[in-house]
Amino acid sequence: ADFLHLPHGLKGYFDYDQAVKCGKEQGKPIFIDWTGHGCGNCRQLEASVWSDPSSLKLLREEFIIVAMYVDDKKLLPEDKWVKSKADGKMKKTLGAVNADRQICEFNINAQPFYCMLDDKEELLQPPKGFDDMNDTKAFIDFLKAGIKKYKDRGFGKETESH
């Protein structure tokens, strides 16, 4: 996390496995932000949609956030390299590993791309991209629907209504 960040002072993770572990421990769903350093659409949504106080409150209080940078050039230790199921090539950088995961799991390589997972790492809602999320109401509705589904599936700790 010394070279990666989340916008608006949000706290979160940059490693999928850490985020999943933390989500289970804290009884919160995982919000996956497939993003990139060079993603103009990502920055646009962060500035116009994520910045809304209601969006920030939900992200901050109800989710474990993991930002999956798909264009980061940091070379990973050899034990973290992944042989792609998509193209058979060895993925050696953080970005290449993350991009490969997005392609293999969701058959898409576009950012921003948002997913929410429960404690069994199953989708809470169909994932959404830029065209689906470019207004605050749509983003908030997406987040709230994920929270509801998470609780309906019996996950999470008992909390007071917000």
Side-chain angles (χ1 to χ4, degrees):
D2 54 336
F3 60 97
L4 302 171
H5 73 281
L6 289 166
H8 309 295
L10 290 166
K11 304 287 186 225
Y13 296 86
F14 306 96
D15 177 272
Y16 177 87
D17 294 329
Q18 283 181 328
V20 168
K21 182 179 180 219
C22 186
K24 289 176 184 177
E25 289 171 355
Q26 292 189 30
K28 293 182 178 182
I30 307 302
F31 176 83
I32 304 175
D33 172 24
W34 300 94
T35 189
H37 297 292
C39 177
N41 287 341
C42 299
R43 302 298 86 76
Q44 180 181 335
L45 290 188
E46 291 166 4
S48 65
V49 174
W50 288 42
S51 63
D52 178 85
S54 297
S55 296
L56 283 173
K57 181 176 174 56
L58 288 169
L59 288 169
R60 191 172 281 122
E61 296 177 4
E62 300 291 339
F63 290 93
I64 299 299
I65 304 169
V66 59
M68 302 290 284
Y69 280 84
V70 299
D71 60 354
D72 195 86
K73 304 296 185 210
K74 180 177 175 49
L75 183 64
L76 295 172
E78 195 168 342
D79 66 331
K80 301 282 187 187
W81 294 0
V82 173
K83 185 173 182 179
S84 174
K85 293 177 185 169
D87 66 13
K89 295 179 182 175
M90 192 62 68
K91 307 302 178 183
K92 299 178 181 182
T93 65
L94 178 64
V97 168
N98 287 343
D100 189 66
R101 181 178 211 133
Q102 184 187 18
I103 292 164
C104 290
E105 291 185 19
F106 300 103
N107 198 32
I108 192 167
N109 182 17
Q111 297 78 43
F113 190 69
Y114 303 133
C115 304
M116 295 179 288
L117 304 178
D118 66 20
D119 290 5
K120 293 182 179 177
E121 300 177 56
E122 294 177 358
L123 286 171
L124 292 165
Q125 292 291 105
K128 302 286 186 179
F130 179 77
D131 291 337
D132 301 314
M133 295 283 98
N134 59 13
D135 76 71
T136 303
K137 182 183 181 326
F139 187 68
I140 290 170
D141 289 349
F142 175 68
L143 296 177
K144 286 182 176 179
I147 294 164
K148 181 181 184 322
K149 183 79 65 84
Y150 183 78
K151 291 176 180 175
D152 288 351
R153 290 182 183 174
F155 296 112
K157 297 178 180 170
E158 293 298 314
T159 57
E160 295 180 27
S161 302
H162 292 281

PDB file of all heavy atoms in Angstrom, residues 63 116 124-125 139-152:
ATOM      1  N   PHE A  63     -18.481  -1.690   3.848  1.00  0.00           N
ATOM      2  CA  PHE A  63     -17.711  -2.577   2.976  1.00  0.00           C
ATOM      3  C   PHE A  63     -16.250  -2.667   3.385  1.00  0.00           C
ATOM      4  O   PHE A  63     -15.705  -1.760   3.991  1.00  0.00           O
ATOM      5  CB  PHE A  63     -17.744  -2.059   1.524  1.00  0.00           C
ATOM      6  CG  PHE A  63     -19.074  -2.178   0.864  1.00  0.00           C
ATOM      7  CD1 PHE A  63     -19.967  -1.120   0.885  1.00  0.00           C
ATOM      8  CD2 PHE A  63     -19.445  -3.348   0.221  1.00  0.00           C
ATOM      9  CE1 PHE A  63     -21.212  -1.223   0.282  1.00  0.00           C
ATOM     10  CE2 PHE A  63     -20.684  -3.463  -0.385  1.00  0.00           C
ATOM     11  CZ  PHE A  63     -21.569  -2.400  -0.353  1.00  0.00           C
ATOM     12  N   MET A 116     -19.248  -6.851  -5.919  1.00  0.00           N
ATOM     13  CA  MET A 116     -19.426  -7.031  -4.478  1.00  0.00           C
ATOM     14  C   MET A 116     -19.557  -8.524  -4.202  1.00  0.00           C
ATOM     15  O   MET A 116     -20.308  -9.220  -4.889  1.00  0.00           O
ATOM     16  CB  MET A 116     -20.686  -6.302  -4.000  1.00  0.00           C
ATOM     17  CG  MET A 116     -20.605  -4.802  -4.144  1.00  0.00           C
ATOM     18  SD  MET A 116     -22.117  -3.958  -3.599  1.00  0.00           S
ATOM     19  CE  MET A 116     -23.250  -4.407  -4.922  1.00  0.00           C
ATOM     20  N   LEU A 124     -22.768 -10.621  -5.086  1.00  0.00           N
ATOM     21  CA  LEU A 124     -24.004 -10.163  -4.455  1.00  0.00           C
ATOM     22  C   LEU A 124     -24.951  -9.524  -5.470  1.00  0.00           C
ATOM     23  O   LEU A 124     -26.161  -9.544  -5.285  1.00  0.00           O
ATOM     24  CB  LEU A 124     -23.683  -9.158  -3.349  1.00  0.00           C
ATOM     25  CG  LEU A 124     -22.956  -9.765  -2.144  1.00  0.00           C
ATOM     26  CD1 LEU A 124     -22.362  -8.686  -1.272  1.00  0.00           C
ATOM     27  CD2 LEU A 124     -23.909 -10.654  -1.359  1.00  0.00           C
ATOM     28  N   GLN A 125     -24.410  -8.949  -6.507  1.00  0.00           N
ATOM     29  CA  GLN A 125     -25.151  -8.281  -7.571  1.00  0.00           C
ATOM     30  C   GLN A 125     -24.363  -8.490  -8.859  1.00  0.00           C
ATOM     31  O   GLN A 125     -23.151  -8.689  -8.805  1.00  0.00           O
ATOM     32  CB  GLN A 125     -25.241  -6.774  -7.315  1.00  0.00           C
ATOM     33  CG  GLN A 125     -26.096  -6.361  -6.138  1.00  0.00           C
ATOM     34  CD  GLN A 125     -27.567  -6.627  -6.383  1.00  0.00           C
ATOM     35  OE1 GLN A 125     -28.122  -7.547  -5.839  1.00  0.00           O
ATOM     36  NE2 GLN A 125     -28.188  -5.847  -7.218  1.00  0.00           N
ATOM     37  N   PHE A 139     -25.092   4.360  -8.344  1.00  0.00           N
ATOM     38  CA  PHE A 139     -24.014   3.800  -7.531  1.00  0.00           C
ATOM     39  C   PHE A 139     -24.524   3.453  -6.132  1.00  0.00           C
ATOM     40  O   PHE A 139     -24.285   2.354  -5.621  1.00  0.00           O
ATOM     41  CB  PHE A 139     -22.852   4.794  -7.473  1.00  0.00           C
ATOM     42  CG  PHE A 139     -21.609   4.268  -6.805  1.00  0.00           C
ATOM     43  CD1 PHE A 139     -20.862   3.260  -7.387  1.00  0.00           C
ATOM     44  CD2 PHE A 139     -21.177   4.801  -5.603  1.00  0.00           C
ATOM     45  CE1 PHE A 139     -19.703   2.781  -6.782  1.00  0.00           C
ATOM     46  CE2 PHE A 139     -20.027   4.335  -4.988  1.00  0.00           C
ATOM     47  CZ  PHE A 139     -19.292   3.316  -5.580  1.00  0.00           C
ATOM     48  N   ILE A 140     -25.232   4.374  -5.511  1.00  0.00           N
ATOM     49  CA  ILE A 140     -25.759   4.144  -4.162  1.00  0.00           C
ATOM     50  C   ILE A 140     -26.755   2.980  -4.176  1.00  0.00           C
ATOM     51  O   ILE A 140     -26.728   2.126  -3.285  1.00  0.00           O
ATOM     52  CB  ILE A 140     -26.372   5.434  -3.591  1.00  0.00           C
ATOM     53  CG1 ILE A 140     -25.252   6.439  -3.291  1.00  0.00           C
ATOM     54  CG2 ILE A 140     -27.212   5.152  -2.343  1.00  0.00           C
ATOM     55  CD1 ILE A 140     -25.730   7.834  -2.939  1.00  0.00           C
ATOM     56  N   ASP A 141     -27.631   2.946  -5.169  1.00  0.00           N
ATOM     57  CA  ASP A 141     -28.587   1.834  -5.267  1.00  0.00           C
ATOM     58  C   ASP A 141     -27.860   0.498  -5.407  1.00  0.00           C
ATOM     59  O   ASP A 141     -28.264  -0.503  -4.802  1.00  0.00           O
ATOM     60  CB  ASP A 141     -29.533   2.044  -6.454  1.00  0.00           C
ATOM     61  CG  ASP A 141     -30.536   3.165  -6.228  1.00  0.00           C
ATOM     62  OD1 ASP A 141     -30.665   3.660  -5.083  1.00  0.00           O
ATOM     63  OD2 ASP A 141     -31.190   3.567  -7.217  1.00  0.00           O
ATOM     64  N   PHE A 142     -26.803   0.474  -6.189  1.00  0.00           N
ATOM     65  CA  PHE A 142     -25.980  -0.729  -6.367  1.00  0.00           C
ATOM     66  C   PHE A 142     -25.390  -1.168  -5.028  1.00  0.00           C
ATOM     67  O   PHE A 142     -25.488  -2.346  -4.646  1.00  0.00           O
ATOM     68  CB  PHE A 142     -24.876  -0.417  -7.384  1.00  0.00           C
ATOM     69  CG  PHE A 142     -23.859  -1.493  -7.609  1.00  0.00           C
ATOM     70  CD1 PHE A 142     -24.191  -2.686  -8.224  1.00  0.00           C
ATOM     71  CD2 PHE A 142     -22.533  -1.291  -7.242  1.00  0.00           C
ATOM     72  CE1 PHE A 142     -23.230  -3.669  -8.468  1.00  0.00           C
ATOM     73  CE2 PHE A 142     -21.565  -2.256  -7.475  1.00  0.00           C
ATOM     74  CZ  PHE A 142     -21.920  -3.451  -8.079  1.00  0.00           C
ATOM     75  N   LEU A 143     -24.797  -0.227  -4.292  1.00  0.00           N
ATOM     76  CA  LEU A 143     -24.195  -0.552  -2.999  1.00  0.00           C
ATOM     77  C   LEU A 143     -25.245  -1.060  -2.013  1.00  0.00           C
ATOM     78  O   LEU A 143     -25.044  -2.080  -1.342  1.00  0.00           O
ATOM     79  CB  LEU A 143     -23.485   0.670  -2.420  1.00  0.00           C
ATOM     80  CG  LEU A 143     -22.282   1.203  -3.197  1.00  0.00           C
ATOM     81  CD1 LEU A 143     -21.742   2.466  -2.535  1.00  0.00           C
ATOM     82  CD2 LEU A 143     -21.191   0.159  -3.338  1.00  0.00           C
ATOM     83  N   LYS A 144     -26.371  -0.377  -1.931  1.00  0.00           N
ATOM     84  CA  LYS A 144     -27.431  -0.771  -0.986  1.00  0.00           C
ATOM     85  C   LYS A 144     -28.001  -2.145  -1.331  1.00  0.00           C
ATOM     86  O   LYS A 144     -28.297  -2.935  -0.431  1.00  0.00           O
ATOM     87  CB  LYS A 144     -28.541   0.280  -0.958  1.00  0.00           C
ATOM     88  CG  LYS A 144     -28.142   1.544  -0.218  1.00  0.00           C
ATOM     89  CD  LYS A 144     -29.286   2.545  -0.183  1.00  0.00           C
ATOM     90  CE  LYS A 144     -28.927   3.765   0.634  1.00  0.00           C
ATOM     91  NZ  LYS A 144     -30.036   4.751   0.641  1.00  0.00           N
ATOM     92  N   ALA A 145     -28.160  -2.434  -2.609  1.00  0.00           N
ATOM     93  CA  ALA A 145     -28.663  -3.747  -3.021  1.00  0.00           C
ATOM     94  C   ALA A 145     -27.675  -4.842  -2.619  1.00  0.00           C
ATOM     95  O   ALA A 145     -28.088  -5.931  -2.191  1.00  0.00           O
ATOM     96  CB  ALA A 145     -28.913  -3.770  -4.529  1.00  0.00           C
ATOM     97  N   GLY A 146     -26.382  -4.558  -2.734  1.00  0.00           N
ATOM     98  CA  GLY A 146     -25.369  -5.528  -2.315  1.00  0.00           C
ATOM     99  C   GLY A 146     -25.395  -5.767  -0.817  1.00  0.00           C
ATOM    100  O   GLY A 146     -25.308  -6.913  -0.360  1.00  0.00           O
ATOM    101  N   ILE A 147     -25.537  -4.712  -0.051  1.00  0.00           N
ATOM    102  CA  ILE A 147     -25.610  -4.834   1.414  1.00  0.00           C
ATOM    103  C   ILE A 147     -26.833  -5.663   1.805  1.00  0.00           C
ATOM    104  O   ILE A 147     -26.745  -6.565   2.647  1.00  0.00           O
ATOM    105  CB  ILE A 147     -25.663  -3.442   2.075  1.00  0.00           C
ATOM    106  CG1 ILE A 147     -24.350  -2.691   1.841  1.00  0.00           C
ATOM    107  CG2 ILE A 147     -25.965  -3.558   3.563  1.00  0.00           C
ATOM    108  CD1 ILE A 147     -24.435  -1.189   2.105  1.00  0.00           C
ATOM    109  N   LYS A 148     -27.968  -5.370   1.190  1.00  0.00           N
ATOM    110  CA  LYS A 148     -29.201  -6.102   1.500  1.00  0.00           C
ATOM    111  C   LYS A 148     -29.033  -7.586   1.184  1.00  0.00           C
ATOM    112  O   LYS A 148     -29.382  -8.450   1.991  1.00  0.00           O
ATOM    113  CB  LYS A 148     -30.377  -5.514   0.729  1.00  0.00           C
ATOM    114  CG  LYS A 148     -31.696  -6.222   1.025  1.00  0.00           C
ATOM    115  CD  LYS A 148     -32.842  -5.641   0.246  1.00  0.00           C
ATOM    116  CE  LYS A 148     -34.180  -6.268   0.583  1.00  0.00           C
ATOM    117  NZ  LYS A 148     -34.222  -7.682   0.837  1.00  0.00           N
ATOM    118  N   LYS A 149     -28.491  -7.894   0.020  1.00  0.00           N
ATOM    119  CA  LYS A 149     -28.304  -9.290  -0.376  1.00  0.00           C
ATOM    120  C   LYS A 149     -27.339  -9.994   0.587  1.00  0.00           C
ATOM    121  O   LYS A 149     -27.555 -11.150   0.946  1.00  0.00           O
ATOM    122  CB  LYS A 149     -27.780  -9.357  -1.816  1.00  0.00           C
ATOM    123  CG  LYS A 149     -27.618 -10.741  -2.385  1.00  0.00           C
ATOM    124  CD  LYS A 149     -28.894 -11.401  -2.856  1.00  0.00           C
ATOM    125  CE  LYS A 149     -29.574 -10.766  -4.001  1.00  0.00           C
ATOM    126  NZ  LYS A 149     -29.125 -11.089  -5.325  1.00  0.00           N
ATOM    127  N   TYR A 150     -26.286  -9.287   0.999  1.00  0.00           N
ATOM    128  CA  TYR A 150     -25.326  -9.847   1.948  1.00  0.00           C
ATOM    129  C   TYR A 150     -26.038 -10.253   3.239  1.00  0.00           C
ATOM    130  O   TYR A 150     -25.862 -11.364   3.743  1.00  0.00           O
ATOM    131  CB  TYR A 150     -24.236  -8.805   2.217  1.00  0.00           C
ATOM    132  CG  TYR A 150     -23.114  -9.249   3.117  1.00  0.00           C
ATOM    133  CD1 TYR A 150     -22.095 -10.070   2.639  1.00  0.00           C
ATOM    134  CD2 TYR A 150     -23.054  -8.839   4.446  1.00  0.00           C
ATOM    135  CE1 TYR A 150     -21.045 -10.464   3.462  1.00  0.00           C
ATOM    136  CE2 TYR A 150     -22.007  -9.229   5.279  1.00  0.00           C
ATOM    137  CZ  TYR A 150     -21.011 -10.042   4.776  1.00  0.00           C
ATOM    138  OH  TYR A 150     -19.980 -10.426   5.592  1.00  0.00           O
ATOM    139  N   LYS A 151     -26.848  -9.358   3.759  1.00  0.00           N
ATOM    140  CA  LYS A 151     -27.576  -9.634   5.008  1.00  0.00           C
ATOM    141  C   LYS A 151     -28.642 -10.692   4.800  1.00  0.00           C
ATOM    142  O   LYS A 151     -28.846 -11.557   5.653  1.00  0.00           O
ATOM    143  CB  LYS A 151     -28.166  -8.341   5.557  1.00  0.00           C
ATOM    144  CG  LYS A 151     -27.080  -7.402   6.062  1.00  0.00           C
ATOM    145  CD  LYS A 151     -27.630  -6.076   6.534  1.00  0.00           C
ATOM    146  CE  LYS A 151     -26.475  -5.191   7.028  1.00  0.00           C
ATOM    147  NZ  LYS A 151     -26.926  -3.847   7.397  1.00  0.00           N
ATOM    148  N   ASP A 152     -29.328 -10.658   3.645  1.00  0.00           N
ATOM    149  CA  ASP A 152     -30.352 -11.657   3.346  1.00  0.00           C
ATOM    150  C   ASP A 152     -29.761 -13.061   3.284  1.00  0.00           C
ATOM    151  O   ASP A 152     -30.452 -14.044   3.571  1.00  0.00           O
ATOM    152  CB  ASP A 152     -31.051 -11.350   2.013  1.00  0.00           C
ATOM    153  CG  ASP A 152     -31.992 -10.149   2.092  1.00  0.00           C
ATOM    154  OD1 ASP A 152     -32.253  -9.639   3.206  1.00  0.00           O
ATOM    155  OD2 ASP A 152     -32.444  -9.705   1.006  1.00  0.00           O
TER     156      ASP A 152
END
